[in-house]
Amino acid sequence: MKNKKNIGITIAFFVISFLHAGSINAQYTQTIKGNVYDQASQDKLLGVSVILLSTNPTLGSTTDNDGKFKINNVPIGRYDIQLSYIGYETKVIPAVMVTSGKEVILNVDLKEAVTTLNEVVVSARGKEKPLNSMITLSGRSFTVEETGRYAGGLDDPGRLVSTFAGVSDGSLQSNGIVVRGNAPFGTGYRIEGLSVDNPNHFAGEDFLGGGFVSILSKQVLSNSDFLTGAFPAEYGNALSSVFDMKLKTGNTEKYEHTFQAGVLGLDVASEGPIIKNTNSSYIFNYRYSTFGIVQDILPDETGLPVYQDLSFKFNFPTKIGIFSLWGSGGLESYKSGNELDKEKEKEIIDDKSSTGILGLKHKLNIGHTAYISTSIGVNASTKNNILKNLYTDDIYYWDEKMDNIYGKYMFSTSFNQKISSRLFVRTGIDAEYLFYDIKNYKSNSRPNPMVQLVNHDGNTNMWQGYLQIKYDLLQNININAGVHQQHLALNNTNSTEPRVGIQWSVNNKNTLSFAYGRHSQIHSLNVYFVEKSSQTGIILPNKNLDFMKANHFVFGYDLSISNNIRLKIEPYYQTLFDVPVEENTAFSIINLIDLNTFNKSLVNKGTGRNMGIDLTLERFFENNYYYTITASLFDSKFKGGDGIERNTIYNKKFITNILGGKEFIINKKNILSLNGRLYINLGNYISPVDYSNQTNQSAYFETQQPTNYRFDISASYTRNREKINTTWSIQILNILNSKSPMSPTEDLLTNEFYYKYESVMLPSLSWKIQF
């Protein structure tokens, strides 16, 4: 109670002090500018009308020959921005925040109308449609602002999307996500069109597929898409969901800077023209964890996660297209325990890892109806981990040791052709040259020598190709169809994957949709190179494993209750097949959480099934408030190597989110934002540690952990001054201090693997200045 009282006093002081801080009735303004393109051809549009709704007098502009527009002297606040053009569907971008510290830059595409020559007015408010027009169902965009505004977001896309229907987070200390009952490792990541490995600090430490926090700071991240099933043909090597992330293009006319200090780290960001009057620009952000600063004055073995990251993008428009050089990289370490204190420390952990991504993108418009986008890049990561345990003879022995290097060179190109206002075609190729050096060891019975699990280095390649079309059969019916092909040279395996989506706008309020997709994913390289002893020597029993595959069926009903309230219902059914399992045991890779000591021989004989319904009731931001209510009912099953159907670890069965927020305008220039989120989900199922133990196998995955109730809050106060703004913000995860899943725990006596529930509150306070 005392802890809760102190937090309440802190929040009250925070609010009152900043309300008093903004008492000068000055009116500050800012500039809104951007570019407008044709959605299919990416051709610049001349003469588009851009106006700010509900302004008196009306503020607006018109795009020039280069598709650019600029609106000067816009009073600070939030605006709905409408873009209209003869022969195109009108688009409204809602609730755009305008502050005094940074110009607002928008890149907007408009869809050409199918039949009429007159101006077409179509509601396109909120997040009704993802950025990628090929997505029919189970996809939505998210904005950079939402990662900071939504309670529980912690400026992290991984945590933000856990508020979406069908998505749950793995634990309080991880941003790993479970989508429609699928394992977190089924998520695919794309940045600027390149498929990349898990871009998180401490990737896979808690949940395979998650991490602690993204290496991409929101200072460089642009609006992006998140898909939860039945993806279009251009997305490959993902089973459950896809992050399709974009980076901002820096301001081409003005230098702008950001500094942020908070619990999660110190950020320094800057953007502006590289050479003025050339439309070239740069943007970068460097972040160093606050834990790292604290760690410098504490003993090395304290056990705080230390990380740093750098992200950047350079943009160069030329006569032969636009070139973009971008990159992101992170370093992290975690050290816990002191070998000198044997009375207290039973376990020693020394964990170091790194990741880096570098890409070069070229985009070239061909006439007014087509464009080619080509990227090359490299993605590499290292992981060094040592785990020691105290043995009965009072000596520490190595229990686990990892020394791994993974990487790949990437090439991606796509050709995009707008054939008519009805027909659009996209086709492309993705090629990856993978290299690796993996050394994993484990001591099975201390103090005996460590057993070699994986010791392999080499290279291979993977090819993906796709063709997809979008055809507007009628003005209110469109079809997305395509095929994706995937090949892994390591074992010469292939996967052919048809995809289709149909959408019917019955009227202005009701939309029906259906989507189907076959999807596949390669396994972690650790799995392929597990070593076993035989009479002829060391063998690799998993090297010829096929892709793990799934069929996704999704139906959708979308009801526009009013101009800013939407109800969305999505029933779905997924079948998983060719799932790697261990013969004659309950083990299935579907339930794999930790790869560090994995050493099982597998065969592609397992199956799985996910079915459920996702519901979303959303009021988009208008009149200074918003709310979203999501609920997911689902059932997730699998069959292991023994052919018995069981619950997956992630079969929570029920998830719900209730979130909302309200903004208060203070003195016509400062903004107080209050947000909250109630998150409820049933617990994971308890799995065995040792599947080879034949005792009581029939009871595996029958015990469900407790229901998790969590309430998160966030509050921020933004003060606008002439050409500068500052924001104080506080986010508190689990403010009621309820018990939440935290640490993965093995109980060797009961043969159980489960998540330990702890009463942990995670506060994050930050201060940001933009100028």
Side-chain angles (χ1 to χ4, degrees):
M1 284 297 295
K2 184 176 179 181
N3 190 23
K4 295 179 182 178
K5 183 178 179 181
N6 290 340
I7 291 175
I9 294 172
T10 301
I11 294 174
F13 175 78
F14 166 80
V15 172
I16 293 172
S17 62
F18 284 102
L19 287 177
H20 279 290
S23 58
I24 303 173
N25 285 316
Q27 181 65 67
Y28 303 111
T29 62
Q30 189 53 272
T31 297
I32 299 177
K33 62 184 182 181
N35 304 274
V36 185
Y37 307 91
D38 180 278
Q39 184 183 84
S41 69
Q42 295 291 289
D43 192 32
K44 303 166 185 175
L45 295 179
L46 164 66
V48 177
S49 173
V50 184
I51 64 171
L52 276 56
L53 300 178
S54 303
T55 56
N56 188 18
T58 300
L59 296 175
S61 179
T62 303
T63 57
D64 61 17
N65 289 331
D66 294 321
K68 298 181 181 297
F69 71 90
K70 180 181 287 189
I71 307 173
N72 295 313
N73 301 317
V74 178
I76 58 175
R78 283 192 184 272
Y79 297 93
D80 292 345
I81 302 176
Q82 177 180 287
L83 298 96
S84 56
Y85 191 49
I86 298 297
Y88 282 73
E89 296 179 359
T90 292
K91 176 177 285 190
V92 177
I93 305 174
V96 175
M97 171 69 82
V98 179
T99 63
S100 59
K102 294 189 73 173
E103 293 183 338
V104 176
I105 303 174
L106 303 173
N107 292 294
V108 187
D109 56 42
L110 296 182
K111 184 180 184 298
E112 185 176 2
V114 173
T115 59
T116 181
L117 295 178
N118 296 320
E119 187 172 325
V120 178
V121 179
V122 175
S123 174
R125 300 176 63 84
K127 294 170 284 295
E128 291 167 298
K129 296 182 180 179
L131 301 178
N132 188 341
S133 62
M134 289 289 189
I135 300 172
T136 301
L137 264 176
S138 299
R140 65 176 292 169
S141 63
F142 61 90
T143 68
V144 179
E145 188 221 350
E146 288 170 338
T147 63
R149 173 160 52 91
Y150 279 16
L154 288 183
D155 298 339
D156 187 345
R159 296 182 187 273
L160 167 69
V161 300
S162 69
T163 65
F164 297 170
V167 185
S168 65
D169 55 14
S171 71
L172 197 61
Q173 64 189 25
S174 171
N175 66 2
I177 52 173
V178 175
V179 180
R180 292 178 171 172
N182 289 285
F185 64 75
T187 298
Y189 296 89
R190 292 212 318 185
I191 303 177
E192 290 290 298
L194 288 176
S195 295
V196 301
D197 296 330
N198 186 344
N200 287 301
H201 287 294
F202 302 100
E205 287 297 322
D206 189 11
F207 257 105
L208 185 62
F212 178 67
V213 67
S214 173
I215 65 172
L216 290 173
S217 166
K218 76 170 188 176
Q219 313 299 343
V220 298
L221 192 64
S222 184
N223 296 349
S224 304
D225 284 335
F226 180 69
L227 295 75
T228 57
F231 340 121
E234 65 192 87
Y235 299 101
N237 197 28
L239 275 182
S240 65
S241 57
V242 175
F243 275 103
D244 190 355
M245 294 183 283
K246 314 292 184 185
L247 301 183
K248 289 180 183 176
T249 298
N251 197 322
T252 59
E253 299 176 323
K254 180 182 177 183
Y255 294 103
E256 297 176 327
H257 316 284
T258 300
F259 174 77
Q260 178 172 295
V263 171
L264 291 180
L266 302 178
D267 288 75
V268 178
S270 179
E271 63 179 287
I274 298 175
I275 302 174
K276 287 193 174 183
N277 301 318
T278 63
N279 285 324
S280 62
S281 68
Y282 75 89
I283 184 171
F284 79 86
N285 183 90
Y286 173 75
R287 174 173 56 184
Y288 188 78
S289 69
T290 306
F291 297 131
I293 298 173
V294 176
Q295 180 80 11
D296 290 341
I297 59 175
L298 295 175
D300 290 341
E301 67 276 2
T302 305
L304 292 175
V306 178
Y307 57 91
Q308 56 183 309
D309 51 63
L310 172 68
S311 299
F312 63 87
K313 181 180 178 181
F314 299 96
N315 208 56
F316 304 94
T318 71
K319 293 181 180 180
I320 56 172
I322 300 174
F323 290 88
S324 300
L325 178 66
W326 61 274
S328 185
L331 302 171
E332 54 264 1
S333 63
Y334 175 83
K335 190 171 184 178
S336 175
N338 186 345
E339 294 191 32
L340 299 179
D341 191 354
K342 293 184 172 61
E343 294 295 325
K344 181 180 178 182
E345 304 292 350
K346 305 301 180 184
E347 185 177 75
I348 305 298
I349 299 174
D350 190 355
D351 188 356
K352 297 182 181 68
S353 54
S354 64
T355 187
I357 310 166
L358 181 66
L360 177 64
K361 182 177 181 179
H362 175 243
K363 181 180 176 183
L364 175 66
N365 282 72
I366 304 173
H368 298 288
T369 61
Y371 68 96
I372 296 176
S373 181
T374 302
S375 295
I376 57 173
V378 59
N379 181 186
S381 61
T382 65
K383 186 173 181 63
N384 303 95
N385 178 276
I386 294 174
L387 173 64
K388 295 183 180 181
N389 277 282
L390 191 64
Y391 196 58
T392 53
D393 59 3
D394 208 30
I395 298 175
Y396 283 101
Y397 289 95
W398 282 3
D399 191 42
E400 297 176 15
K401 182 181 178 182
M402 300 176 62
D403 188 4
N404 298 338
I405 299 174
Y406 303 96
K408 58 184 178 180
Y409 296 102
M410 303 168 286
F411 170 81
S412 175
T413 186
S414 67
F415 174 74
N416 306 264
Q417 174 72 58
K418 178 182 178 181
I419 297 175
S420 69
S421 61
R422 291 177 180 269
L423 181 60
F424 173 66
V425 177
R426 176 178 293 161
T427 185
I429 295 173
D430 295 326
E432 297 179 356
Y433 176 85
L434 292 80
F435 56 91
Y436 43 85
D437 186 357
I438 309 170
K439 296 180 177 64
N440 291 354
Y441 304 88
K442 179 177 174 61
S443 174
N444 291 325
S445 56
R446 296 179 301 271
N448 294 335
M450 299 189 77
V451 176
Q452 179 176 293
L453 304 179
V454 180
N455 186 359
H456 202 86
D457 64 83
N459 57 77
T460 187
N461 51 69
M462 180 175 175
W463 293 84
Q464 300 177 67
Y466 61 89
L467 170 67
Q468 58 187 24
I469 64 170
K470 181 177 182 181
Y471 182 66
D472 290 327
L473 187 63
L474 298 171
Q475 188 172 359
N476 62 338
I477 300 178
N478 66 72
I479 300 173
N480 292 324
V483 63
H484 186 97
Q485 181 69 33
Q486 195 157 274
H487 172 79
L488 180 63
L490 177 70
N491 51 22
N492 202 32
T493 50
N494 296 278
S495 179
T496 303
E497 304 162 9
R499 319 277 176 89
V500 66
I502 304 172
Q503 189 173 79
W504 175 30
S505 298
V506 181
N507 51 43
N508 290 335
K509 290 184 174 294
N510 298 274
T511 301
L512 296 174
S513 307
F514 167 77
Y516 162 76
R518 172 168 288 188
H519 309 284
S520 68
Q521 187 177 40
I522 66 171
H523 312 291
S524 171
L525 294 176
N526 289 45
V527 175
Y528 290 107
F529 299 125
V530 164
E531 298 181 355
K532 295 291 184 179
S533 298
S534 71
Q535 293 180 349
T536 59
I538 298 296
I539 62 172
L540 306 178
N542 298 337
K543 186 176 180 179
N544 291 319
L545 283 175
D546 201 352
F547 296 104
M548 181 173 168
K549 304 182 184 75
N551 290 311
H552 291 193
F553 301 86
V554 188
F555 293 88
Y557 172 63
D558 200 319
L559 172 64
S560 295
I561 298 174
S562 68
N563 193 42
N564 66 330
I565 299 178
R566 181 189 70 168
L567 172 67
K568 192 172 186 67
I569 302 172
E570 288 193 3
Y572 62 88
Y573 185 82
Q574 302 176 351
T575 61
L576 286 77
F577 59 101
D578 288 343
V579 178
V581 296
E582 185 180 34
E583 288 194 291
N584 302 317
T585 78
F587 177 82
S588 170
I589 208 166
I590 286 175
N591 301 302
L592 183 62
I593 292 178
D594 182 7
L595 264 178
N596 292 358
T597 58
F598 182 80
N599 68 336
K600 295 183 181 298
S601 300
L602 305 177
V603 292
N604 288 106
K605 294 183 179 179
T607 60
R609 185 264 296 154
N610 302 313
M611 60 185 298
I613 184 170
D614 295 338
L615 301 99
T616 301
L617 177 65
E618 183 169 15
R619 184 193 190 277
F620 301 123
F621 200 105
E622 190 173 59
N623 296 327
N624 296 325
Y625 75 97
Y626 71 96
Y627 62 79
T628 302
I629 302 171
T630 67
S632 299
L633 300 169
F634 65 97
D635 189 45
S636 179
K637 301 286 190 181
F638 80 99
K639 288 184 180 180
D642 57 7
I644 299 174
E645 185 175 73
R646 297 179 173 90
N647 297 295
T648 68
I649 288 180
Y650 311 106
N651 192 16
K652 298 174 184 288
K653 297 184 181 295
F654 176 73
I655 309 165
T656 188
N657 279 282
I658 303 173
L659 65 152
K662 170 73 173 176
E663 286 186 351
F664 302 88
I665 309 301
I666 311 297
N667 297 325
K668 297 183 179 181
K669 67 182 186 307
N670 301 325
I671 301 171
L672 171 66
S673 177
L674 303 176
N675 305 273
R677 174 199 180 192
L678 175 63
Y679 172 62
I680 303 172
N681 69 271
L682 304 186
N684 291 332
Y685 276 82
I686 294 175
S687 68
V689 177
D690 180 11
Y691 287 83
S692 64
N693 185 348
Q694 299 296 317
T695 305
N696 203 29
Q697 278 212 16
S698 61
Y700 287 170
F701 301 96
E702 287 190 356
T703 304
Q704 191 170 17
Q705 294 197 256
T707 299
N708 176 24
Y709 301 87
R710 199 176 84 214
F711 185 56
D712 305 330
I713 66 166
S714 69
S716 66
Y717 188 77
T718 300
R719 299 179 60 196
N720 288 287
R721 294 292 180 265
E722 186 68 30
K723 299 182 180 180
I724 188 172
N725 69 273
T726 58
T727 300
W728 282 91
S729 65
I730 184 171
Q731 297 192 52
I732 303 178
L733 274 64
N734 196 25
I735 190 171
L736 299 182
N737 208 29
S738 59
K739 288 189 175 182
S740 299
M742 288 291 291
S743 305
T745 303
E746 292 183 355
D747 191 326
L748 298 179
L749 295 178
T750 62
N751 193 33
E752 289 182 339
F753 183 94
Y754 58 93
Y755 270 77
K756 185 182 296 183
Y757 276 57
E758 300 176 12
S759 295
V760 176
M761 189 185 305
L762 295 180
S764 177
L765 179 68
S766 67
W767 175 79
K768 179 175 69 176
I769 182 170
Q770 295 179 313
F771 57 96

